[in-house]
Amino acid sequence: MLQRGKNVCTFDAAIGEGTRKGLLLTRPIDMGEPFALKKLQDMRLYYTKYNQGSMCKAVLYVSNDGIKWAEVKSLRGGSYKYFRIALITEMTDDDRLSGIALRYELNRGNKLR
């Protein structure tokens, strides 16, 4: 079942010709290290495109406290504790989005405690 506003539709009614726009927003990702600063090295989007009119764009948001978020234009920035990924899509029924791979390194401050 798919809900649009106050109308409820089945998936059969959603299948059709052409592309449809969508937005996917992940939960805050801490990479299993919630207190360490991480620097992203690489972000790979696994997306299969069968139509020339289809597109899938990724927007990266970062935070150090999990409350205030900022958009990052490049992976060559600083180190952060939390990441969120927004995917803006315009896909057909044949296109597939199967996952995202993130490669990162922990930022060590060289502080002995």
Side-chain angles (χ1 to χ4, degrees):
M1 301 292 282
L2 177 68
Q3 185 172 354
R4 293 183 183 162
K6 294 184 180 183
N7 300 331
V8 177
C9 306
T10 63
F11 282 110
D12 295 335
I15 296 174
E17 297 294 322
T19 60
R20 283 186 295 283
K21 295 181 181 183
L23 174 68
L24 177 108
L25 182 64
T26 66
R27 62 174 177 77
I29 302 169
D30 63 5
M31 315 280 190
E33 300 274 346
F35 302 111
L37 293 173
K38 279 95 40 192
K39 187 176 207 177
L40 279 185
Q41 299 295 321
D42 187 27
M43 182 170 77
R44 192 168 302 229
L45 184 66
Y46 293 104
Y47 170 63
T48 306
K49 178 179 174 179
Y50 290 107
N51 187 354
Q52 293 295 8
S54 298
M55 68 95 176
C56 187
K57 293 184 181 180
V59 180
L60 181 65
Y61 294 97
V62 294
S63 175
N64 280 332
D65 59 2
I67 297 171
K68 293 182 244 169
W69 294 90
E71 181 183 348
V72 174
K73 301 288 184 187
S74 172
L75 293 180
R76 308 288 181 246
S79 301
Y80 304 98
K81 288 185 181 180
Y82 302 103
F83 300 91
R84 284 185 101 168
I85 302 168
L87 297 175
I88 303 163
T89 64
E90 189 170 343
M91 298 169 46
T92 64
D93 295 335
D94 297 328
D95 299 330
R96 300 290 179 260
L97 176 62
S98 57
I100 300 171
L102 299 172
R103 191 170 52 110
Y104 68 96
E105 72 177 28
L106 293 176
N107 188 7
R108 307 273 185 210
N110 291 334
K111 295 180 181 177
L112 298 174
R113 294 182 191 226

